[in-house]
Amino acid sequence: MFKVIFLGTSGSTPTDQRGLPSVCIEYEGDIIMFDCGEGTQRQMMINKINFSKVRAIFLSHIHGDHTIGVAGLVRTLALNKRASKLEIFVPKGYENAVRRLLDFDGTKIGYEIAIRKVESGIIYTGKGYSVKAFRLSHTVPAFGFSFEENSKMKFDRKKAERLGIVGPMYSKLEKDGTIKVDRKTVKITQVARMQNGRKVVYATDTRPVKETVSAARHANLLIHEATYTDELKDLAAERMHSTALEAAKLAKKANVNNLILTHISARYRKDSELLKEARNAFKRTEVAKDGMSIDITGP
Ligand SMILES: [Zn+2]
Ligand SMILES: [Zn+2]
């Protein structure tokens, strides 16, 4: 299973419709969280996210709307008698700020919390996937995250059968790269090719930047902030955010399959304005809602 669940989709302040930023990825039983705004743990309960499966939390930057929720979440995990380690990632230089946020009342947390710094490149590897970080452009150091499924060997079954490969010979061929069939050697490249895994990219808070374009190239899904509509593009530039149109143009440049806009300013009561503007530049756009869940299908 490869699923994306939006827990909070507002920016700066919550509204009666939207909580503060948090997105979960559920991949084959693991849960990876991007940002953890205030109220995230309740959204997890409402959306039936299994707390014990959370492996790591990636904070895009230190701003409170993206981070304050971890203080409560780590306490609930302790009350749930969590034993396994929790990893929390934050841009380099803010590790102590997160430590202070977690320790502010001196509560003893009975499991290990590892606070790790985010720098560009692969920062986490799980079973069958990895998480890469890339630089964003905001008022404080901020990073986007790319969740990438490992590439897999894809066999051309017909071709393989013609060359006499059957049953357990497939796994042997995958392991060794070659196999002997009736005194002939068959190389894996004759009957299989590598197929790229699926990819979901998360970018907030930020101006539209080329780093996101390269990270998101051919992604199954790009989740990009759209704090404002283009009418407020000067404000977006001043506050180092993006407009719906800017996010859509970026999605087009990166040639992604789908775009979902999030981190919506509380001033927009309806999605229609943001959606119309973005779809003019990139058709396959949606505006995120709290509780929205997307299956990531396809190669
Ligand atoms: Zn924010
Ligand atoms: Zn911010």
Side-chain angles (χ1 to χ4, degrees), residues 74 84-88 98-99 102 109 111-115:
V74 297
S84 60
K85 181 171 70 182
L86 176 69
E87 297 189 60
I88 301 178
V98 170
R99 179 56 69 194
L102 300 186
I109 308 270
Y111 59 93
E112 185 190 349
I113 298 178
I115 298 177

Side-chain angles (χ1 to χ4, degrees), residues 11 22 275:
S22 183
L275 201 56

